[in-house]
Every structure is written in structure tokens, then in C-alpha cells.
């Protein structure tokens, strides 16, 4: 069972990139494609609920955003850098194949030589997986405090997708659909410090969680580097929605059993932000109150592994979650995997 008794969650550090790219601006770049295929303007925002996403300035690496968020999380936690015994970098985006991107964040933050560091990669669930791994080490007493960071850089994916859409004249109204999901992706960075309660008590506790895998459908969303076209991703959005929600529904049942929580016991939900239809379908299927869902989707889009935790970070900053309330992080990632975590805030 995924339960913890001694793990404290400290304040998140969230960093939003400086460049805003609206869905209207994306469609303006695709105007010849829209005209050729007779697609209506406003389609992208109408389908997804995403009005804009954020992007970094050119040359920004995943470790840059992650280190900035990590520095902010450390400052807010009051836990000194020398007390960090583990650093986990958890983004889809990475600086390079080798070394681990965590090594660049470690150096930037001046963390101790005794700090265990490595990358975790699991699509959009990486950050939540990092919280699980670190919580286990804290519970066992292997480390006293640790840091989970993520920095997603969507610039190359958006740029490559736009270039592909503009130049591939063989695309049809049907064949273009798997590429549209790539235009929902945005950049951002987030970090959180976890500690043992007897070392640094924040008053906020990570209680437990549940996970479910449904890898029979790992072909529904796949992406990677193409030597000629850059980073591209292909997504069967309709099937991914259906199978992802089904996987989440089974995860939700176990989550309630493990934590002993019912939906009415949870004050706020912070979910992986994919699209408007996804959120509506998820809350309808799980019979959750949509009024308790805090969203960043309209102005951040899908920020990969950063999405759910940065949504919680911004929710806390805006007063959507108060001390003494309960929160649930609901994650779904391609693969297909679902991971849900419960926090007593």
C-alpha cells in the first residue's frame, strides 16, 4: 500500500515562462493550412479550452527552469540546501542524453556532494512519481529532506509541429488531427521540498496514493526526435481520452480505499491539464464536483510533468487551498498510466 506517516510537503516553487503564445496567434501562422482544409478559425481554443500557453526565451534549457523553481521552493521551505539528501529531475524535456539533467540542477543550486541525484522519466506523471520515490526514502529514513524538480520546454515541439503543418501539403482534415494535440503543449517549471516530519514540520503531510497501468494502449500518444523535422508527437486524442479516463476510474477506486477518503472529503482537486473535454469527462466519470477543480488550462495549456503540480502551486498562491484542507493530485499520462496522491494541507 502506498501510505506514508512521516512525510511533509513544503511550499511549491513555480516559474512561468515570459513569452505568451495564444491559440489565435498559432492559427494565424496556420492560416494557409486552415484555408486549404476549410478549417474554421478558433477551432484550437474551441476544441481544447486553451487560450494561451507559455514559452521560454530561446536558449533556455530544462535545467534552467527547474533550477529556478528549485531555488524558490528551497527558499520558501526554510530547509537549507545542505540538508537536501536527494534531488530528482522529472521532466519529459531533458538538457541532453547524458549526463542526467539532475546533475545540472544540482550544480546550479549548490547542493551537497552527498546528495543522491537522478532523472525520472514517465511522460506527464514524472513529477508525481518523483514525489513517490522521495517519500519512500524519507519514510525509510534514508534521507532527511529532498527536492523534486521539473522544467518542461515545449518550444521545439511547437515550432516543429507548426513547420510540419505548413509544409506537408498531403495532410487532410483527417490526417491532421493527431498533430493538433502538440499545439496544446506549453512550457513551465515547478519544484517542491519534501522532508521527514521530525526534521522540518511544514504542517502539510503527504498521506498516500494509488496507481494503475494500462500499457495495452501505449501507442496512443508517442513522440520523439526526428532528424529532419525536429521534435514531433502523434496523439489519437479520442482514444487516449477514453482509455485514459477508464484507467483513472480504476485508480480512483483504489485511491479511496487506500486513503479511506471519499470524494466529499476532498476540498480541492489538482489535475493533469489536457483539455476541456478531458476535465469534464474525468469529473463526470469519477462523480466529482467540478467546482472543486482548480484549473490553469486556459492560460498554461498542457505543461507535461509540470502540469498537475504547478496547478496546485498556483492554487495555493491564489488561496484556493487553505491549511487544514485536503487536496488530491490526479495524474494521467501516456503509456497509459494513472497516479493519484492525497495531501493533508
Amino acid at each position: 500500500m502506498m501510505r506514508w506517516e512521516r512525510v511533509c510537503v513544503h511550499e511549491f516553487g513555480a516559474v512561468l515562462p515570459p513569452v505568451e503564445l495564444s491559440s489565435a496567434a498559432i492559427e494565424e501562422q496556420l492560416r494557409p493550412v486552415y484555408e486549404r482544409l476549410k478549417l474554421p478559425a478558433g477551432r484550437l481554443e474551441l476544441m481544447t479550452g486553451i487560450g494561451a500557453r507559455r514559452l521560454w526565451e530561446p536558449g533556455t534549457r530544462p535545467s534552467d527552469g527547474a533550477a529556478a523553481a528549485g531555488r524558490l521552493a528551497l527558499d520558501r521551505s526554510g530547509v537549507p540546501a545542505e540538508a537536501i539528501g536527494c534531488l530528482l529531475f522529472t521532466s519529459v524535456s531533458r538538457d541532453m542524453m547524458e549526463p542526467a539533467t539532475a546533475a545540472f540542477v544540482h550544480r546550479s543550486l549548490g547542493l551537497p556532494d552527498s546528495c543522491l541525484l537522478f532523472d525520472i522519466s514517465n511522460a506527464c506523471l514524472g513529477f508525481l512519481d518523483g514525489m513517490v520515490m522521495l517519500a519512500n526514502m524519507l519514510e525509510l529514513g534514508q534521507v532527511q529532506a529532498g527536492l523534486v524538480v521539473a522544467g518542461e520546454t515545449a518550444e521545439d515541439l511547437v515550432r516543429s509541429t507548426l513547420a510540419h503543418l505548413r509544409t506537408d501539403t498531403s495532410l487532410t482534415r483527417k490526417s491532421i488531427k493527431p498533430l493538433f494535440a502538440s499545439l496544446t503543449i506549453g512550457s513551465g517549471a515547478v519544484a517542491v521540498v519534501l522532508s521527514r516530519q521530525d526534521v522540518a514540520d511544514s504542517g502539510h503531510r503527504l498521506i498516500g496514493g494509488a496507481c494503475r497501468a494500462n500499457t495495452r494502449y501505449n501507442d496512443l500518444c508517442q513522440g520523439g526526435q526526428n532528424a529532419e523535422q525536429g521534435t514531433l508527437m502523434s496523439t489519437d486524442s479520442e482514444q487516449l481520452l477514453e482509455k485514459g479516463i477508464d484507467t483513472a476510474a480504476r485508480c480512483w477506486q483504489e485511491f479511496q480505499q487506500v486513503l479511506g477518503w471519499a470524494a466529499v472529503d476532498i476540498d480541492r482537486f489538482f489535475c493533469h491539464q489536457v483539455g476541456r473535454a478531458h476535465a469534464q469527462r474525468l469529473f463526470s466519470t469519477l462523480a466529482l464536483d467540478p467546482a472543486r477543480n482548480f484549473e490553469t488550462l486556459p492560460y498554461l495549456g498542457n505543461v507535461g510533468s509540470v502540469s498537475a503540480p504547478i496547478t496546485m502551486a498556483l492554487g495555493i498562491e491564489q488561496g484556493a487551498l487553505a491549511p487544514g484542507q485536503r487536496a488530491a493530485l490526479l495524474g494521467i499520462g501516456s503509456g497509459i498510466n494513472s497516479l493519484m496522491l492525497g495531501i493533508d494541507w
Side-chain angles (χ1 to χ4, degrees):
M1 291 180 62
M2 203 179 292
R3 291 276 305 198
W4 303 286
E5 301 292 337
R6 306 172 181 85
V7 178
C8 282
V9 182
H10 294 262
E11 295 282 351
F12 289 82
V15 179
L16 300 182
V19 180
E20 181 179 274
L21 178 63
S22 69
S23 292
I26 286 177
E27 290 189 329
E28 180 61 28
Q29 295 185 54
L30 295 175
R31 182 188 291 184
V33 181
Y34 270 53
E35 291 176 348
R36 180 174 67 83
L37 298 179
K38 296 180 171 57
L39 297 173
R43 169 191 177 95
L44 182 56
E45 183 172 357
L46 181 65
M47 287 193 313
T48 65
I50 299 170
R53 71 281 296 134
R54 309 295 293 232
L55 300 175
W56 302 107
E57 295 286 2
T60 304
R61 304 196 306 179
S63 63
D64 295 330
R71 190 171 293 108
L72 183 58
L74 282 169
D75 290 344
R76 290 179 171 179
S77 72
V79 176
E82 56 268 23
I84 297 299
C86 180
L87 168 69
L88 304 178
F89 177 87
T90 62
S91 300
V92 177
S93 309
R94 298 169 59 185
D95 283 22
M96 57 189 69
M97 287 288 291
E98 187 178 355
T101 305
F104 298 106
V105 178
H106 179 273
R107 180 179 179 177
S108 179
L109 295 179
L111 300 181
D113 294 346
S114 57
C115 178
L116 175 69
L117 62 100
F118 55 95
D119 292 355
I120 289 179
S121 175
N122 190 19
C124 297
L125 287 183
F127 194 93
L128 302 190
D129 285 325
M131 292 178 68
V132 170
M133 295 299 102
L134 180 53
N136 289 339
M137 285 186 275
L138 291 165
E139 192 79 2
L140 291 170
Q142 294 174 333
V143 296
Q144 305 301 301
L147 180 64
V148 183
V149 300
E152 297 289 12
T153 53
E155 293 74 31
D156 188 55
L157 175 61
V158 173
R159 182 173 57 251
S160 299
T161 301
L162 287 171
H164 180 56
L165 290 171
R166 287 193 299 259
T167 58
D168 189 348
T169 57
S170 69
L171 289 171
T172 65
R173 289 174 67 104
K174 181 178 181 180
S175 64
I176 202 174
K177 288 179 67 175
L179 296 169
F180 262 102
S182 302
L183 300 178
T184 69
I185 305 298
S187 299
V190 69
V192 70
V193 172
L194 303 184
S195 71
R196 283 180 59 91
Q197 188 175 20
D198 56 357
V199 172
D201 191 352
S202 64
H204 316 306
R205 289 184 52 234
L206 181 60
I207 304 300
C211 63
R212 275 290 179 272
N214 198 358
T215 56
R216 287 171 293 178
Y217 303 104
N218 61 20
D219 59 337
L220 296 179
C221 181
Q222 296 183 343
Q225 288 284 335
N226 181 295
E228 297 180 353
Q229 298 173 305
T231 304
L232 288 177
M233 184 173 72
S234 178
T235 305
D236 185 335
S237 298
E238 294 175 1
Q239 279 292 299
L240 187 64
L241 171 64
E242 178 184 338
K243 303 306 179 183
I245 296 297
D246 177 65
T247 307
R250 290 187 284 118
C251 188
W252 172 246
Q253 293 303 315
E254 183 181 353
F255 175 85
Q256 293 177 93
Q257 293 173 9
V258 171
L259 274 74
W261 292 3
V264 295
D265 299 322
I266 301 172
D267 299 285
R268 278 291 180 182
F269 296 95
F270 302 100
C271 306
H272 177 54
Q273 311 279 295
V274 177
R276 179 187 292 137
H278 175 273
Q280 292 173 343
R281 180 82 169 270
L282 178 68
F283 274 69
S284 174
T285 302
L286 273 55
L288 305 178
D289 180 2
R292 300 188 183 190
N293 183 33
F294 184 85
E295 288 189 312
T296 58
L297 179 73
Y299 57 94
L300 291 185
N302 179 354
V303 200
S305 67
V306 169
S307 195
I310 204 171
T311 299
M312 184 168 178
L314 296 177
I316 293 168
E317 287 183 6
Q318 296 175 31
L321 183 68
Q325 292 185 320
R326 282 177 171 171
L329 282 161
L330 308 184
I332 305 175
S334 57
I336 293 173
N337 296 286
S338 179
L339 173 60
M340 301 179 178
L341 299 177
I343 296 174
D344 267 336
W345 194 254

